Amino acid sequence: MSGDHHGGDAAIAARVRHVEALLEQRGLVDAQELDRALEAFLARASPASGARIVARAWVDDAFRERLLDDANAALPELGLTMGGGLQEQRLKVVENTAATHNVVVCTLCSCYPIALLGPSPTWYKSEAYRSRVVRDPRGVLREFGFELGPAVQITVWDASAESRYLVLPRRPAGTAGLDETGLAGLVTRNGLIGVAPV
Ligand code: FE
């Protein structure tokens, strides 16, 4: 799906219009049905969906294991999927620990789990981030105000058209009293990309 991989939002919009026209021509769907599907997709395509996944993983160890093992299979438990109605992308969830930290990039362009995070931030698509985070992840994280100890191993995951990544941040200390909704409120988009602690 080269349009998705290289062209950004304009290419996605053009592709969606093209597919819409084909489907309508062939009488396979009507415009209202498509609008409903698109609205449903956009409603869940925000960092709030990624935050819900993390909060559930923090409170439910069995879910966390299923999520790390096969994220695509686990997402429907929260009413989520990676499919935008057209094509389901592979999702891998990578877990931060005291010893290891994960960061996501698309070195080639801007591949990103839009279905769970919404549109990507501008810096994610920038040449500076894409080239530098691979060479010097610690330095890039520092520029985000996120200082990792020298003993922490950093893994950089390179997304592609077929494979997307989501970081499972560490649960912050002092949050034992929070319920799942409260925990989800702590999780930020940047935490889900790996450039913030949570
Ligand atoms: Fe890409």
Side-chain angles (χ1 to χ4, degrees):
M1 303 305 285
S2 60
D4 185 13
H5 203 65
H6 299 290
D9 296 345
I12 293 172
R15 199 175 77 195
V16 168
R17 278 195 302 277
H18 179 68
V19 172
E20 268 182 18
L22 282 177
L23 293 173
E24 283 184 52
Q25 261 172 31
R26 294 176 191 180
L28 292 174
V29 290
D30 63 35
Q32 275 190 342
E33 214 176 297
L34 274 172
D35 283 348
R36 277 196 296 274
L38 196 58
E39 271 167 36
F41 173 72
L42 292 174
R44 63 168 194 265
S46 98
S49 290
R52 278 177 57 214
I53 296 168
V54 167
R56 175 66 58 88
W58 283 345
V59 301
D60 182 340
D61 279 340
F63 174 78
R64 195 181 103 261
E65 278 171 30
R66 290 193 293 278
L67 182 72
L68 295 173
D69 182 50
D70 183 347
N72 293 74
L75 291 187
E77 296 182 39
L78 294 176
L80 299 168
T81 73
M82 283 298 286
L86 294 174
Q87 168 207 23
E88 173 138 354
Q89 298 145 347
R90 208 70 222 150
L91 178 72
K92 182 169 175 59
V93 174
V94 288
E95 183 184 33
N96 293 341
T97 68
T100 62
H101 183 80
N102 299 283
V103 189
V104 182
V105 66
C106 172
T107 54
L108 196 59
C109 47
S110 57
C111 296
Y112 189 76
I114 292 174
L116 305 177
L117 294 186
S120 60
T122 305
W123 57 258
Y124 184 83
K125 299 172 237 183
S126 72
E127 168 75 27
Y129 176 74
R130 286 161 36 214
S131 58
R132 291 189 48 232
V133 76
V134 176
R135 291 199 310 269
D136 180 20
R138 204 173 293 275
V140 169
L141 294 184
R142 192 175 299 124
E143 287 168 26
F144 276 92
F146 183 14
E147 187 81 43
L148 276 170
V152 179
Q153 286 268 353
I154 305 176
T155 305
V156 181
W157 298 88
D158 193 358
S160 70
E162 297 80 27
S163 295
R164 308 291 160 106
Y165 298 93
L166 189 77
V167 174
L168 174 54
R170 297 175 68 198
R171 180 172 174 162
T175 57
L178 289 180
D179 66 4
E180 202 172 324
T181 308
L183 289 169
L186 302 176
V187 181
T188 68
R189 180 195 62 197
N190 283 10
L192 297 162
I193 301 173
V195 298
V198 77

